[in-house]
Amino acid sequence: MRPGDLAKIRSPDTPALSPDGSHIVFALSFIDLRADGYRSQLWTVPSVGTAGPRKLTDGPSDTEPAFSPDGRWLAFCRAVGGGAPQLWVMPAGGGAARCLTDTALGVSAPFWSPDSSLITFRARVPEPGRYGTVEGVGPEREGPRRITSLAYREDGLGYFRDRPAHVFVVDPHVELPSPVQISRGPYDHGRATFSPDSKRLAFVAARHERAGEDLRVDVWTCAVDGSDLRALTAGGLRARTVQFTPDGRNVCFVAKEVVDEAPSFRSYGVWLAPSDGSAGPRELTDPADTHVLPWATEPIAAVADGVVYANERRGAVELLLAPYDGTTPRTLIGGRRQVYGFAAGRDLTMLVAGVGSDTCSGELVVKAAGNDERRVTDFGASLRGIRLAPMEEITATAPDGYPVHGWTVRPAGAGPHPVLLLIHGGPHVQFGWELFDEAQVYAASGYAVVMGNPRGSSGYGRAHGQAAARDWGTASVAPDLLSLLDEALLDGDLDAGRIAVMGGSYGGLMTAWLAAHHGSRFKTAIAERGTYSFDSFAATADHGWEIAYDLDPSRWAGCSPLTYADRIRIPTLIIHSEQDLTCPLEQAQRLFSALKRAGTPVEFVIFPGEGHGLSRSGLPSHRLARFDVILEWLARRL
C-alpha cells in the first residue's frame, strides 16, 4: 500500500436495518483526491438473497441514514456545497429527497419516533450575532467571549459555550416543516431517542451547577414537548449515549464511573435505569473486563433480551449481548477482527454489522437467527492487487513478569528490515485487528512495524488500564514497550541496529519519553501531536483541565517529557497541526525550542488549518504530505 492508495479504501459506515429486516442502508465513505476531500453516499443492499449493493444517492456528503418504523421513509443528513449538514428525508426505496431543516450550524443524529410521526435530531444553537447569524459579520468582528468554565473549546469544533447543542423534533410529513427546540439552557445535549410509545425523549447532558468543571454527565428524560424534565442519574457517572428498552420501562446507556482516581484509564460499561426514576442505575456489564466503544455513533442497541454492545478485547472489537438480568454476556460476533458499526432487529432475528480485519477495511455481514454469518458487500475489491501485510501476533514478558500483547507488520522479502516502534494514542485505547493504513504504508516502504497494547491500553480489563494511572503511563509503560520491541527483535529479519520510535498524541508523549530515557535504543524519533508538558497542557488543551483528575499536579513535571528534553540526543522530527486543540501547538513549540537549545538535530513540521485528527480526517493532500515527510525523514535518518 502506498499513500495514494488511501483513495481506494471504501468503508461502509454504521448500517440502518429496515423494520422488516429485508434491507440495509449505509453510508459509504471514501477519499476524493481530485477534490481534496471526502465523499459519502447512501447505498442499500438486501439482507437476504444474492443481490449486491446499489447506490441510493450521489452525495457528496450523505450520512446517518435512519428508517422510519413504518418502513416508508429514510431520514439522513446531507451537506450541500460545503455548507452545514441538514436533515433530509426520502422514500425508503430511493427517489427525490426533501430538506426539512435550515439550521445555521447543521444537524446530526436523526432518530424516528416509533409511530413514524416525528424525527428528533441534534443541532447547535448559536448566540445572536455569532457564527454567521448576522450577514457580513465574520468571526474577527464578533464581540468578545466571556469564559466562566474550564470546558469551553473542543478540537475540530472550536468554542462551544456560545453554541450549545440542543434537542429538536420535527414533523417530516407537513409541507413546510418547522423544527421545535425541546431542550433549553447553556448546556450541551447528546443524541435523543424516543420511548416506545413516542411520548418521551431520553438524552445525556451535563446540566448540573458545576457543568464544565467536573466529569459528570447525567441521563435525562422529558415529554416530547420538553416538559416534565427528569434526571435518571444523580452524578458519579459520565454517560455517553442512551436508549429506551423495548418495553419502555427502563433506559440503557453507556457510562463510566468518575468517582475514583484516574477516570481517563477507566473503561465504559453498559448501565440500566428505570425510566420513571424509581430507582438508581445499575451496571449490566462487569467493569473488570468490559470496554464499550464510547465514540461509536451508536455503540449499543436495546433488544428484547438485553443490550447489544461493541466491546474491545485484546485488539478485537466484538459484538456481545448483555442480558437485562445481569447474567454473563454472550458473543454474537467475535474473532480476530473489529466491528465498526451495527444494527439489530428487536428480537435479534436479524443482525447486521460492518466488520474489518488486518487485511480488510470493512464489509457488511448479516447474521440471521439460526443461520451462519454472511457477507453482503465486496468493497475490498478496490484493494485487490495491493499487497496487504498481515499482523503477526507476539506476546512479550515485561521485567516484572507481566505479559504484553502486540504485533509485527513486516515488509515483503528477506531482511534484515529497519524497525519502527509505533505507539498508539489515548492512552486508554487499543491497537487491534484492523487494516491500519500507517502500518501498511510503512511496511510497503521496507520497514517492519512493531505495535502493541502496553499497560494503560483498553481491551485487557480494568486492572490493565489502571496499572498505568499512577504516572499517566510514562515510566510504567516504557518497560512494556521495550519488552515488546525486544520480543520482535528475536526474529532475525528485523535489524536491531536500525530502530525508530514514533507515535501520535499519547504516542507522541511516549516517543519523547523513550527518546529521553532510552535514546540509545533508537536511531531517530518522530513525535506527532503530542503532550510534552502537563503544566501548560492543563491550561491550554480542550480537555487539559481533566488531567488534574488523573494525575496530581505535584507530579506533572516528573511525568512531562519536556523536563528531560536535554537528554534527547537522537535526531527528532516533530509534527503538529496548527489548529490542534487537544494537544495545542504550544506543546510542540516548547519541545522544539528545548531541543534546539540543547543542540539536538531536530526539525519541526506544522500543518496549517488542521486539528488533532490530521492523520485520520485531515485534508487528503495533507495526509499524503504527512506520509511524504515521514518517509523522507526515515530514509535520511534510519
Side-chain angles (χ1 to χ4, degrees), residues 50-83:
T50 58
R54 65 180 177 89
K55 188 167 58 174
L56 276 180
T57 69
D58 287 322
S61 182
D62 295 345
T63 60
E64 298 191 80
F67 277 102
S68 63
D70 61 12
R72 298 176 56 198
W73 304 100
L74 191 69
F76 62 98
C77 296
R78 166 178 284 176
V80 178

PDB file of all heavy atoms in Angstrom, residues 50-83:
ATOM      1  N   THR A  50     -28.976 -12.930  -3.089  1.00  0.00           N
ATOM      2  CA  THR A  50     -27.629 -12.762  -3.618  1.00  0.00           C
ATOM      3  C   THR A  50     -27.404 -11.427  -4.308  1.00  0.00           C
ATOM      4  O   THR A  50     -26.317 -11.172  -4.824  1.00  0.00           O
ATOM      5  CB  THR A  50     -27.326 -13.887  -4.631  1.00  0.00           C
ATOM      6  OG1 THR A  50     -28.299 -13.845  -5.687  1.00  0.00           O
ATOM      7  CG2 THR A  50     -27.380 -15.257  -3.938  1.00  0.00           C
ATOM      8  N   ALA A  51     -28.415 -10.572  -4.338  1.00  0.00           N
ATOM      9  CA  ALA A  51     -28.260  -9.278  -4.998  1.00  0.00           C
ATOM     10  C   ALA A  51     -27.217  -8.437  -4.269  1.00  0.00           C
ATOM     11  O   ALA A  51     -27.142  -8.435  -3.035  1.00  0.00           O
ATOM     12  CB  ALA A  51     -29.591  -8.538  -5.042  1.00  0.00           C
ATOM     13  N   GLY A  52     -26.399  -7.726  -5.034  1.00  0.00           N
ATOM     14  CA  GLY A  52     -25.359  -6.892  -4.449  1.00  0.00           C
ATOM     15  C   GLY A  52     -25.860  -5.516  -4.088  1.00  0.00           C
ATOM     16  O   GLY A  52     -27.025  -5.160  -4.325  1.00  0.00           O
ATOM     17  N   PRO A  53     -25.015  -4.698  -3.524  1.00  0.00           N
ATOM     18  CA  PRO A  53     -25.420  -3.339  -3.118  1.00  0.00           C
ATOM     19  C   PRO A  53     -25.615  -2.429  -4.322  1.00  0.00           C
ATOM     20  O   PRO A  53     -25.000  -2.614  -5.371  1.00  0.00           O
ATOM     21  CB  PRO A  53     -24.251  -2.863  -2.261  1.00  0.00           C
ATOM     22  CG  PRO A  53     -23.089  -3.670  -2.690  1.00  0.00           C
ATOM     23  CD  PRO A  53     -23.626  -4.994  -3.121  1.00  0.00           C
ATOM     24  N   ARG A  54     -26.490  -1.437  -4.167  1.00  0.00           N
ATOM     25  CA  ARG A  54     -26.691  -0.420  -5.188  1.00  0.00           C
ATOM     26  C   ARG A  54     -26.718   0.948  -4.532  1.00  0.00           C
ATOM     27  O   ARG A  54     -27.089   1.101  -3.363  1.00  0.00           O
ATOM     28  CB  ARG A  54     -27.984  -0.658  -5.978  1.00  0.00           C
ATOM     29  CG  ARG A  54     -29.258  -0.528  -5.171  1.00  0.00           C
ATOM     30  CD  ARG A  54     -30.493  -0.788  -6.038  1.00  0.00           C
ATOM     31  NE  ARG A  54     -31.720  -0.733  -5.259  1.00  0.00           N
ATOM     32  CZ  ARG A  54     -32.424   0.375  -5.040  1.00  0.00           C
ATOM     33  NH1 ARG A  54     -32.002   1.532  -5.546  1.00  0.00           N
ATOM     34  NH2 ARG A  54     -33.520   0.343  -4.316  1.00  0.00           N
ATOM     35  N   LYS A  55     -26.329   1.945  -5.303  1.00  0.00           N
ATOM     36  CA  LYS A  55     -26.234   3.303  -4.782  1.00  0.00           C
ATOM     37  C   LYS A  55     -27.611   3.955  -4.753  1.00  0.00           C
ATOM     38  O   LYS A  55     -28.349   3.901  -5.726  1.00  0.00           O
ATOM     39  CB  LYS A  55     -25.271   4.111  -5.642  1.00  0.00           C
ATOM     40  CG  LYS A  55     -24.929   5.474  -5.100  1.00  0.00           C
ATOM     41  CD  LYS A  55     -23.736   6.096  -5.826  1.00  0.00           C
ATOM     42  CE  LYS A  55     -23.974   6.236  -7.306  1.00  0.00           C
ATOM     43  NZ  LYS A  55     -22.875   6.975  -7.967  1.00  0.00           N
ATOM     44  N   LEU A  56     -27.926   4.605  -3.609  1.00  0.00           N
ATOM     45  CA  LEU A  56     -29.190   5.335  -3.465  1.00  0.00           C
ATOM     46  C   LEU A  56     -29.024   6.820  -3.761  1.00  0.00           C
ATOM     47  O   LEU A  56     -29.919   7.452  -4.318  1.00  0.00           O
ATOM     48  CB  LEU A  56     -29.737   5.172  -2.046  1.00  0.00           C
ATOM     49  CG  LEU A  56     -30.558   3.936  -1.695  1.00  0.00           C
ATOM     50  CD1 LEU A  56     -30.993   4.012  -0.241  1.00  0.00           C
ATOM     51  CD2 LEU A  56     -31.761   3.790  -2.602  1.00  0.00           C
ATOM     52  N   THR A  57     -27.904   7.397  -3.338  1.00  0.00           N
ATOM     53  CA  THR A  57     -27.679   8.834  -3.523  1.00  0.00           C
ATOM     54  C   THR A  57     -26.265   9.066  -4.051  1.00  0.00           C
ATOM     55  O   THR A  57     -25.376   8.222  -3.893  1.00  0.00           O
ATOM     56  CB  THR A  57     -27.846   9.617  -2.206  1.00  0.00           C
ATOM     57  OG1 THR A  57     -26.770   9.280  -1.304  1.00  0.00           O
ATOM     58  CG2 THR A  57     -29.183   9.295  -1.552  1.00  0.00           C
ATOM     59  N   ASP A  58     -26.051  10.230  -4.627  1.00  0.00           N
ATOM     60  CA  ASP A  58     -24.731  10.600  -5.144  1.00  0.00           C
ATOM     61  C   ASP A  58     -23.927  11.441  -4.164  1.00  0.00           C
ATOM     62  O   ASP A  58     -22.796  11.817  -4.451  1.00  0.00           O
ATOM     63  CB  ASP A  58     -24.883  11.380  -6.457  1.00  0.00           C
ATOM     64  CG  ASP A  58     -25.306  10.484  -7.610  1.00  0.00           C
ATOM     65  OD1 ASP A  58     -24.827   9.334  -7.656  1.00  0.00           O
ATOM     66  OD2 ASP A  58     -26.117  10.924  -8.447  1.00  0.00           O
ATOM     67  N   GLY A  59     -24.521  11.788  -3.030  1.00  0.00           N
ATOM     68  CA  GLY A  59     -23.786  12.616  -2.091  1.00  0.00           C
ATOM     69  C   GLY A  59     -23.830  14.086  -2.486  1.00  0.00           C
ATOM     70  O   GLY A  59     -24.857  14.561  -2.984  1.00  0.00           O
ATOM     71  N   PRO A  60     -22.757  14.831  -2.290  1.00  0.00           N
ATOM     72  CA  PRO A  60     -21.419  14.325  -1.973  1.00  0.00           C
ATOM     73  C   PRO A  60     -21.182  14.015  -0.501  1.00  0.00           C
ATOM     74  O   PRO A  60     -20.162  13.446  -0.151  1.00  0.00           O
ATOM     75  CB  PRO A  60     -20.509  15.490  -2.400  1.00  0.00           C
ATOM     76  CG  PRO A  60     -21.338  16.709  -2.135  1.00  0.00           C
ATOM     77  CD  PRO A  60     -22.742  16.305  -2.479  1.00  0.00           C
ATOM     78  N   SER A  61     -22.120  14.372   0.368  1.00  0.00           N
ATOM     79  CA  SER A  61     -21.917  14.143   1.798  1.00  0.00           C
ATOM     80  C   SER A  61     -23.235  13.738   2.440  1.00  0.00           C
ATOM     81  O   SER A  61     -23.934  14.562   3.034  1.00  0.00           O
ATOM     82  CB  SER A  61     -21.348  15.404   2.466  1.00  0.00           C
ATOM     83  OG  SER A  61     -21.112  15.178   3.834  1.00  0.00           O
ATOM     84  N   ASP A  62     -23.592  12.465   2.293  1.00  0.00           N
ATOM     85  CA  ASP A  62     -24.819  11.907   2.870  1.00  0.00           C
ATOM     86  C   ASP A  62     -24.430  10.897   3.943  1.00  0.00           C
ATOM     87  O   ASP A  62     -23.655   9.968   3.683  1.00  0.00           O
ATOM     88  CB  ASP A  62     -25.662  11.219   1.795  1.00  0.00           C
ATOM     89  CG  ASP A  62     -26.174  12.192   0.742  1.00  0.00           C
ATOM     90  OD1 ASP A  62     -26.125  13.408   0.991  1.00  0.00           O
ATOM     91  OD2 ASP A  62     -26.616  11.735  -0.326  1.00  0.00           O
ATOM     92  N   THR A  63     -24.975  11.073   5.143  1.00  0.00           N
ATOM     93  CA  THR A  63     -24.587  10.239   6.281  1.00  0.00           C
ATOM     94  C   THR A  63     -25.792   9.958   7.168  1.00  0.00           C
ATOM     95  O   THR A  63     -26.872  10.511   6.989  1.00  0.00           O
ATOM     96  CB  THR A  63     -23.504  10.936   7.124  1.00  0.00           C
ATOM     97  OG1 THR A  63     -24.023  12.189   7.611  1.00  0.00           O
ATOM     98  CG2 THR A  63     -22.248  11.196   6.314  1.00  0.00           C
ATOM     99  N   GLU A  64     -25.601   9.094   8.153  1.00  0.00           N
ATOM    100  CA  GLU A  64     -26.526   8.804   9.252  1.00  0.00           C
ATOM    101  C   GLU A  64     -27.928   8.427   8.776  1.00  0.00           C
ATOM    102  O   GLU A  64     -28.923   9.040   9.199  1.00  0.00           O
ATOM    103  CB  GLU A  64     -26.605   9.984  10.215  1.00  0.00           C
ATOM    104  CG  GLU A  64     -25.276  10.321  10.881  1.00  0.00           C
ATOM    105  CD  GLU A  64     -25.429  11.314  12.007  1.00  0.00           C
ATOM    106  OE1 GLU A  64     -25.817  10.898  13.109  1.00  0.00           O
ATOM    107  OE2 GLU A  64     -25.193  12.521  11.774  1.00  0.00           O
ATOM    108  N   PRO A  65     -28.079   7.411   7.918  1.00  0.00           N
ATOM    109  CA  PRO A  65     -29.419   7.010   7.492  1.00  0.00           C
ATOM    110  C   PRO A  65     -30.216   6.401   8.641  1.00  0.00           C
ATOM    111  O   PRO A  65     -29.664   5.731   9.515  1.00  0.00           O
ATOM    112  CB  PRO A  65     -29.129   5.968   6.406  1.00  0.00           C
ATOM    113  CG  PRO A  65     -27.792   5.392   6.784  1.00  0.00           C
ATOM    114  CD  PRO A  65     -27.021   6.544   7.354  1.00  0.00           C
ATOM    115  N   ALA A  66     -31.535   6.657   8.630  1.00  0.00           N
ATOM    116  CA  ALA A  66     -32.420   6.113   9.665  1.00  0.00           C
ATOM    117  C   ALA A  66     -33.773   5.797   9.040  1.00  0.00           C
ATOM    118  O   ALA A  66     -34.425   6.686   8.478  1.00  0.00           O
ATOM    119  CB  ALA A  66     -32.580   7.111  10.812  1.00  0.00           C
ATOM    120  N   PHE A  67     -34.204   4.533   9.103  1.00  0.00           N
ATOM    121  CA  PHE A  67     -35.503   4.112   8.585  1.00  0.00           C
ATOM    122  C   PHE A  67     -36.627   4.573   9.504  1.00  0.00           C
ATOM    123  O   PHE A  67     -36.503   4.508  10.736  1.00  0.00           O
ATOM    124  CB  PHE A  67     -35.571   2.590   8.487  1.00  0.00           C
ATOM    125  CG  PHE A  67     -34.958   2.007   7.245  1.00  0.00           C
ATOM    126  CD1 PHE A  67     -33.713   1.421   7.288  1.00  0.00           C
ATOM    127  CD2 PHE A  67     -35.650   2.029   6.036  1.00  0.00           C
ATOM    128  CE1 PHE A  67     -33.146   0.868   6.159  1.00  0.00           C
ATOM    129  CE2 PHE A  67     -35.100   1.475   4.900  1.00  0.00           C
ATOM    130  CZ  PHE A  67     -33.845   0.895   4.950  1.00  0.00           C
ATOM    131  N   SER A  68     -37.741   5.012   8.920  1.00  0.00           N
ATOM    132  CA  SER A  68     -38.946   5.228   9.720  1.00  0.00           C
ATOM    133  C   SER A  68     -39.489   3.858  10.134  1.00  0.00           C
ATOM    134  O   SER A  68     -39.395   2.886   9.382  1.00  0.00           O
ATOM    135  CB  SER A  68     -39.998   6.003   8.929  1.00  0.00           C
ATOM    136  OG  SER A  68     -40.420   5.276   7.788  1.00  0.00           O
ATOM    137  N   PRO A  69     -40.039   3.727  11.332  1.00  0.00           N
ATOM    138  CA  PRO A  69     -40.525   2.427  11.796  1.00  0.00           C
ATOM    139  C   PRO A  69     -41.618   1.807  10.923  1.00  0.00           C
ATOM    140  O   PRO A  69     -41.791   0.588  10.947  1.00  0.00           O
ATOM    141  CB  PRO A  69     -41.045   2.745  13.202  1.00  0.00           C
ATOM    142  CG  PRO A  69     -40.205   3.890  13.656  1.00  0.00           C
ATOM    143  CD  PRO A  69     -40.019   4.727  12.418  1.00  0.00           C
ATOM    144  N   ASP A  70     -42.345   2.631  10.145  1.00  0.00           N
ATOM    145  CA  ASP A  70     -43.338   2.047   9.250  1.00  0.00           C
ATOM    146  C   ASP A  70     -42.713   1.594   7.929  1.00  0.00           C
ATOM    147  O   ASP A  70     -43.403   1.068   7.037  1.00  0.00           O
ATOM    148  CB  ASP A  70     -44.480   3.031   8.975  1.00  0.00           C
ATOM    149  CG  ASP A  70     -44.028   4.319   8.294  1.00  0.00           C
ATOM    150  OD1 ASP A  70     -42.870   4.384   7.825  1.00  0.00           O
ATOM    151  OD2 ASP A  70     -44.824   5.274   8.240  1.00  0.00           O
ATOM    152  N   GLY A  71     -41.396   1.800   7.784  1.00  0.00           N
ATOM    153  CA  GLY A  71     -40.673   1.311   6.624  1.00  0.00           C
ATOM    154  C   GLY A  71     -40.814   2.140   5.366  1.00  0.00           C
ATOM    155  O   GLY A  71     -40.255   1.780   4.325  1.00  0.00           O
ATOM    156  N   ARG A  72     -41.502   3.281   5.423  1.00  0.00           N
ATOM    157  CA  ARG A  72     -41.776   4.050   4.212  1.00  0.00           C
ATOM    158  C   ARG A  72     -40.703   5.087   3.896  1.00  0.00           C
ATOM    159  O   ARG A  72     -40.531   5.458   2.734  1.00  0.00           O
ATOM    160  CB  ARG A  72     -43.125   4.747   4.343  1.00  0.00           C
ATOM    161  CG  ARG A  72     -44.323   3.812   4.503  1.00  0.00           C
ATOM    162  CD  ARG A  72     -45.598   4.611   4.717  1.00  0.00           C
ATOM    163  NE  ARG A  72     -45.819   5.566   3.628  1.00  0.00           N
ATOM    164  CZ  ARG A  72     -46.639   6.612   3.698  1.00  0.00           C
ATOM    165  NH1 ARG A  72     -47.280   6.865   4.841  1.00  0.00           N
ATOM    166  NH2 ARG A  72     -46.787   7.424   2.665  1.00  0.00           N
ATOM    167  N   TRP A  73     -40.005   5.567   4.904  1.00  0.00           N
ATOM    168  CA  TRP A  73     -39.131   6.720   4.706  1.00  0.00           C
ATOM    169  C   TRP A  73     -37.721   6.469   5.242  1.00  0.00           C
ATOM    170  O   TRP A  73     -37.506   5.627   6.124  1.00  0.00           O
ATOM    171  CB  TRP A  73     -39.722   7.967   5.394  1.00  0.00           C
ATOM    172  CG  TRP A  73     -41.101   8.286   4.937  1.00  0.00           C
ATOM    173  CD1 TRP A  73     -42.280   7.984   5.575  1.00  0.00           C
ATOM    174  CD2 TRP A  73     -41.462   8.933   3.709  1.00  0.00           C
ATOM    175  NE1 TRP A  73     -43.337   8.407   4.843  1.00  0.00           N
ATOM    176  CE2 TRP A  73     -42.887   8.998   3.680  1.00  0.00           C
ATOM    177  CE3 TRP A  73     -40.749   9.461   2.654  1.00  0.00           C
ATOM    178  CZ2 TRP A  73     -43.577   9.582   2.633  1.00  0.00           C
ATOM    179  CZ3 TRP A  73     -41.430  10.046   1.595  1.00  0.00           C
ATOM    180  CH2 TRP A  73     -42.836  10.098   1.601  1.00  0.00           C
ATOM    181  N   LEU A  74     -36.814   7.260   4.702  1.00  0.00           N
ATOM    182  CA  LEU A  74     -35.426   7.211   5.142  1.00  0.00           C
ATOM    183  C   LEU A  74     -34.988   8.642   5.446  1.00  0.00           C
ATOM    184  O   LEU A  74     -35.030   9.515   4.577  1.00  0.00           O
ATOM    185  CB  LEU A  74     -34.538   6.616   4.049  1.00  0.00           C
ATOM    186  CG  LEU A  74     -33.103   6.263   4.440  1.00  0.00           C
ATOM    187  CD1 LEU A  74     -33.095   5.072   5.403  1.00  0.00           C
ATOM    188  CD2 LEU A  74     -32.284   5.935   3.194  1.00  0.00           C
ATOM    189  N   ALA A  75     -34.620   8.885   6.685  1.00  0.00           N
ATOM    190  CA  ALA A  75     -34.056  10.181   7.069  1.00  0.00           C
ATOM    191  C   ALA A  75     -32.539  10.082   7.026  1.00  0.00           C
ATOM    192  O   ALA A  75     -31.963   9.016   7.279  1.00  0.00           O
ATOM    193  CB  ALA A  75     -34.525  10.578   8.464  1.00  0.00           C
ATOM    194  N   PHE A  76     -31.874  11.178   6.718  1.00  0.00           N
ATOM    195  CA  PHE A  76     -30.416  11.193   6.691  1.00  0.00           C
ATOM    196  C   PHE A  76     -29.927  12.633   6.760  1.00  0.00           C
ATOM    197  O   PHE A  76     -30.715  13.579   6.634  1.00  0.00           O
ATOM    198  CB  PHE A  76     -29.878  10.486   5.436  1.00  0.00           C
ATOM    199  CG  PHE A  76     -30.274  11.122   4.129  1.00  0.00           C
ATOM    200  CD1 PHE A  76     -29.416  11.989   3.462  1.00  0.00           C
ATOM    201  CD2 PHE A  76     -31.513  10.845   3.554  1.00  0.00           C
ATOM    202  CE1 PHE A  76     -29.774  12.558   2.249  1.00  0.00           C
ATOM    203  CE2 PHE A  76     -31.888  11.414   2.340  1.00  0.00           C
ATOM    204  CZ  PHE A  76     -31.016  12.278   1.682  1.00  0.00           C
ATOM    205  N   CYS A  77     -28.635  12.796   6.964  1.00  0.00           N
ATOM    206  CA  CYS A  77     -28.021  14.125   6.988  1.00  0.00           C
ATOM    207  C   CYS A  77     -27.265  14.339   5.684  1.00  0.00           C
ATOM    208  O   CYS A  77     -26.552  13.450   5.220  1.00  0.00           O
ATOM    209  CB  CYS A  77     -27.081  14.262   8.180  1.00  0.00           C
ATOM    210  SG  CYS A  77     -27.912  14.157   9.781  1.00  0.00           S
ATOM    211  N   ARG A  78     -27.419  15.534   5.119  1.00  0.00           N
ATOM    212  CA  ARG A  78     -26.762  15.857   3.852  1.00  0.00           C
ATOM    213  C   ARG A  78     -26.191  17.263   3.925  1.00  0.00           C
ATOM    214  O   ARG A  78     -26.882  18.203   4.344  1.00  0.00           O
ATOM    215  CB  ARG A  78     -27.735  15.750   2.687  1.00  0.00           C
ATOM    216  CG  ARG A  78     -27.249  16.382   1.382  1.00  0.00           C
ATOM    217  CD  ARG A  78     -28.230  16.196   0.254  1.00  0.00           C
ATOM    218  NE  ARG A  78     -28.198  14.832  -0.269  1.00  0.00           N
ATOM    219  CZ  ARG A  78     -29.013  14.377  -1.217  1.00  0.00           C
ATOM    220  NH1 ARG A  78     -29.954  15.179  -1.726  1.00  0.00           N
ATOM    221  NH2 ARG A  78     -28.911  13.130  -1.644  1.00  0.00           N
ATOM    222  N   ALA A  79     -24.921  17.400   3.494  1.00  0.00           N
ATOM    223  CA  ALA A  79     -24.293  18.708   3.353  1.00  0.00           C
ATOM    224  C   ALA A  79     -24.170  19.018   1.867  1.00  0.00           C
ATOM    225  O   ALA A  79     -23.714  18.183   1.092  1.00  0.00           O
ATOM    226  CB  ALA A  79     -22.927  18.714   4.014  1.00  0.00           C
ATOM    227  N   VAL A  80     -24.578  20.195   1.473  1.00  0.00           N
ATOM    228  CA  VAL A  80     -24.586  20.597   0.067  1.00  0.00           C
ATOM    229  C   VAL A  80     -23.675  21.801  -0.120  1.00  0.00           C
ATOM    230  O   VAL A  80     -23.749  22.775   0.650  1.00  0.00           O
ATOM    231  CB  VAL A  80     -26.015  20.933  -0.406  1.00  0.00           C
ATOM    232  CG1 VAL A  80     -26.003  21.394  -1.857  1.00  0.00           C
ATOM    233  CG2 VAL A  80     -26.936  19.733  -0.227  1.00  0.00           C
ATOM    234  N   GLY A  81     -22.812  21.746  -1.138  1.00  0.00           N
ATOM    235  CA  GLY A  81     -21.976  22.894  -1.489  1.00  0.00           C
ATOM    236  C   GLY A  81     -21.068  23.367  -0.386  1.00  0.00           C
ATOM    237  O   GLY A  81     -20.788  24.563  -0.274  1.00  0.00           O
ATOM    238  N   GLY A  82     -20.608  22.444   0.444  1.00  0.00           N
ATOM    239  CA  GLY A  82     -19.725  22.821   1.529  1.00  0.00           C
ATOM    240  C   GLY A  82     -20.417  23.433   2.728  1.00  0.00           C
ATOM    241  O   GLY A  82     -19.760  23.865   3.675  1.00  0.00           O
ATOM    242  N   GLY A  83     -21.749  23.472   2.704  1.00  0.00           N
ATOM    243  CA  GLY A  83     -22.491  24.034   3.827  1.00  0.00           C
ATOM    244  C   GLY A  83     -22.650  23.045   4.967  1.00  0.00           C
ATOM    245  O   GLY A  83     -22.144  21.914   4.924  1.00  0.00           O
TER     246      GLY A  83
END
